[in-house]
Every structure is written in structure tokens, then in C-alpha cells.
Amino acid sequence: MFDSALRLELTTKDAILQECDSLRRDAGRVLRALHYDYADARSENGGESECRAVIIEAGFMVPELQVEFNIDGRIKRVDFVHQMAPVPPTCGRHTAGGVGSEA
């Protein structure tokens, strides 16, 4: 929900935090999500936001969003990526920089 509101420029993180401060209910989960910069306008739909929340709550590192790769001169974009090593990610027989070896 935050991702979509931020992407559509309906609000800001500061405005959400101010609203949470005005509530009498515990808004700790909301504040944690915003505090750790998990709300991200680059998410293109609710499914991506929910999936990313599951990844984060399961203790995995926060993924990079909407990353583009050049594969054989064509730009391909993925919703999430974890770049954990200085090696280009592979896609079948292709690497992010071009054609790789058969796996």
C-alpha cells in the first residue's frame, strides 16, 4: 500500500509518519517498515510489495528492485535481484553482459 501511494505521489514518507504519530493505536509495524526504507515507489504492483515483505520478514537481505540487464543487446528487467557476488547473474545460457557458456 505504501509503495503504490509513493509511486503515484499521493503522499510522502514524512506525511505517513506524521499520521502514525497522531494515532492512538500502536503503529510500530508501519514505523518499522518506513524507518528501514522498505516502502519503495519502484514496486509496480501490490504483489511485488507483498512478496518483498515476505522476503524481508523471513530474514533475507532486502532485494534491489526493477533492475535492468542487457542480454544479447536486449534490455530485460526483473522485479527483484540479490547481487551477492561480483559475478553477473545468469539467465539460462546467457549472462547479464552477453552470451555465456552452457551450464
Side-chain angles (χ1 to χ4, degrees):
M1 178 169 43
F2 294 128
D3 295 342
S4 180
L6 293 171
R7 182 172 42 81
L8 296 172
E9 298 180 358
L10 299 174
T11 191
T12 65
K13 288 183 182 182
D14 288 337
I16 295 169
L17 290 171
Q18 286 177 351
E19 184 64 27
C20 288
D21 286 342
S22 73
L23 299 175
R24 293 177 187 230
R25 303 176 102 182
D26 179 19
R29 190 169 183 187
V30 172
L31 296 173
R32 278 195 311 276
L34 291 171
H35 174 73
Y36 292 112
D37 286 326
Y38 295 153
D40 195 315
R42 293 175 295 169
S43 275
E44 294 180 337
N45 60 61
E48 288 179 16
S49 299
E50 186 173 350
C51 185
R52 194 174 75 255
V54 170
I55 290 169
I56 294 166
E57 286 185 353
F60 293 99
M61 62 190 279
V62 178
E64 294 180 52
L65 304 181
Q66 309 304 335
V67 177
E68 293 183 343
F69 296 98
N70 182 333
I71 300 175
D72 293 338
R74 295 172 59 193
I75 301 299
K76 302 289 184 176
R77 188 178 68 200
V78 297
D79 295 332
F80 315 110
V81 70
H82 287 110
Q83 295 189 22
M84 298 169 36
V87 177
T90 60
C91 178
R93 67 179 188 86
H94 302 283
T95 65
V99 177
S101 61
E102 292 287 334

